[in-house]
Amino acid sequence: MKYSWKAIHPCIVSVNLLPCEPGFVFGPRIIQDHQLIYVVRGKGSARIQNRTYKGTEGDLFYYGPGVVHEFRADVREPFAVYGLHFSLFQSNAIEASYPSGIQEAAFTDEQRDNELWLGERPETQFLLPEHSRPTFGIQAIFAKLLELYSQGDDFSILQSRAKFIELLTGLFAWTRQQNLLLSEPIRRLKRFLDQNAEQLYERKWLSECTSYHEEHAARLFRKYIGMSPHDYHIRQKMIRAQQLLQGTDRSITDIARQLNLSNVHYFSKLFKKMNGISPLEYRNLRKFI
């Protein structure tokens, strides 16, 4: 999912603080909105689709609609977690019936996209990480959001929106800072993928840009960027597709060809996975904005 910063109107659906009992489990389940889980103390584990993480004090997790997840508290030192449900659009938050959006689910081989991108231009793009350890006073923000949510009056709701935007922009600044700490070879590879989004992906780029073995370069890239080099290149290719659909009258077939995609069907499948609508629907929608 990808949205411009100016298009979103983020709102809190619910906030709670859950001190877990030893061995307590919630999930596997899915939700209809977005959620952040922040570990305040203790330890446990998190599973998001086929990925498993340890959860200790300071860990932050994100998952979106329809993404199967499960959290399990340690039997000796169970964690306490903040749970924050949010919507990117005000109407959705108002209409959400919490907790009716929570449904039991099962882990399967099918993997849904769990990427939330904000921003369209490279200099303002932000990928909300599935797992991170922010260091900018995030616990105090969660505590304030819980306080405002508990009050529930109109002014507190307005304040909670402002506080949540502070959280998002704080995460944006923190991830940008983390990117600055990247080794120069990984920065070079990232720039190369940005600049060559229209080209057909070649794995040899990994060693050519970094002088590392391809496998090592891929591991480092995933560690710092949050996705594989190939997935990042596809993401940048779809952003380029948006620009071409919005700024030119070229046919969908011509755009697919320019992006070195094998056929229009494959292009449409990738585009819809990222944006939720087809290339043609995106072009027609932009005509009315």
Side-chain angles (χ1 to χ4, degrees):
M1 291 168 285
K2 181 178 181 296
Y3 306 94
S4 69
W5 284 104
K6 65 183 179 181
I8 64 172
H9 300 278
C11 297
I12 301 300
V13 177
S14 69
V15 190
N16 73 321
L17 175 60
L18 177 64
C20 296
E21 296 293 327
F24 177 78
V25 178
F26 61 91
R29 66 180 197 176
I30 58 174
I31 58 174
Q32 68 179 3
D33 48 22
H34 303 261
Q35 186 168 30
L36 293 173
I37 297 288
Y38 180 72
V39 181
V40 181
R41 60 180 178 272
K43 56 187 180 180
S45 64
R47 179 178 176 185
I48 302 175
Q49 299 192 123
N50 64 348
R51 297 170 294 279
T52 302
Y53 306 95
K54 292 181 179 179
T56 58
E57 181 178 345
D59 280 311
L60 180 70
F61 299 96
Y62 161 77
Y63 42 85
V67 173
V68 183
H69 57 275
E70 177 187 83
F71 285 77
R72 186 179 299 269
D74 186 73
V75 295
R76 296 182 179 177
E77 194 179 340
F79 49 28
V81 298
Y82 279 109
L84 189 157
H85 287 259
F86 67 94
S87 169
L88 294 172
F89 303 98
Q90 180 179 346
S91 60
N92 291 350
I94 292 172
E95 295 166 5
S97 178
Y98 180 82
S100 63
I102 298 176
Q103 303 175 29
E104 292 183 1
F107 291 107
T108 67
D109 292 334
E110 180 184 358
Q111 301 296 300
R112 293 180 62 95
D113 185 0
N114 192 38
E115 296 176 354
L116 176 58
W117 284 84
L118 299 175
E120 295 179 331
R121 293 177 292 133
E123 62 269 25
T124 59
Q125 276 183 7
F126 167 51
L127 170 63
L128 184 58
E130 182 174 87
H131 173 236
S132 58
R133 291 182 60 84
T135 55
F136 61 91
I138 193 170
Q139 184 171 336
I141 296 178
F142 272 91
K144 186 63 177 179
L145 284 168
L146 177 58
E147 176 189 334
L148 293 168
Y149 176 75
S150 300
Q151 292 171 2
D153 59 89
D154 290 347
F155 186 59
S156 296
I157 292 173
L158 180 63
Q159 287 180 297
S160 71
R161 293 174 190 163
K163 202 68 180 175
F164 184 60
I165 291 173
E166 178 185 339
L167 174 60
L168 287 179
T169 54
L171 286 168
F172 168 75
W174 179 78
T175 54
R176 297 288 286 189
Q177 183 182 35
Q178 295 301 109
N179 287 341
L180 291 176
L181 299 177
L182 290 176
S183 66
E184 177 55 32
I186 298 302
R187 283 203 300 269
R188 189 163 57 244
L189 174 57
K190 183 174 180 292
R191 285 195 302 268
F192 184 89
L193 295 174
D194 290 339
Q195 295 165 1
N196 291 273
E198 293 187 6
Q199 304 306 312
L200 190 65
Y201 180 82
E202 296 188 52
R203 191 168 174 81
K204 68 178 183 179
W205 293 345
L206 306 188
S207 57
E208 291 176 349
C209 289
T210 66
S211 298
Y212 298 150
H213 187 278
E214 292 175 1
E215 292 295 334
H216 182 58
R219 282 195 297 270
L220 286 177
F221 193 93
R222 179 182 287 277
K223 175 182 177 181
Y224 289 110
I225 306 301
M227 64 181 69
S228 70
H230 182 255
D231 287 347
Y232 181 81
H233 186 253
I234 290 292
R235 177 68 56 177
Q236 297 309 105
K237 194 181 289 287
M238 293 302 100
I239 291 172
R240 178 63 179 145
Q242 290 179 336
Q243 296 168 348
L244 292 170
L245 288 166
Q246 181 181 354
T248 75
D249 292 324
R250 300 187 63 185
S251 70
I252 307 299
T253 300
D254 284 347
I255 291 174
R257 187 179 299 116
Q258 180 172 337
L259 295 173
N260 278 285
L261 295 169
S262 57
N263 56 63
V264 173
H265 176 72
Y266 180 54
F267 171 41
S268 298
K269 181 180 178 180
L270 288 176
F271 192 91
K272 189 169 185 178
K273 180 180 179 182
M274 174 175 165
N275 297 283
I277 56 177
S278 70
L280 183 58
E281 289 171 329
Y282 180 85
R283 170 170 275 171
N284 291 336
L285 177 65
R286 299 297 296 184
K287 293 178 180 178
F288 294 98
I289 293 177

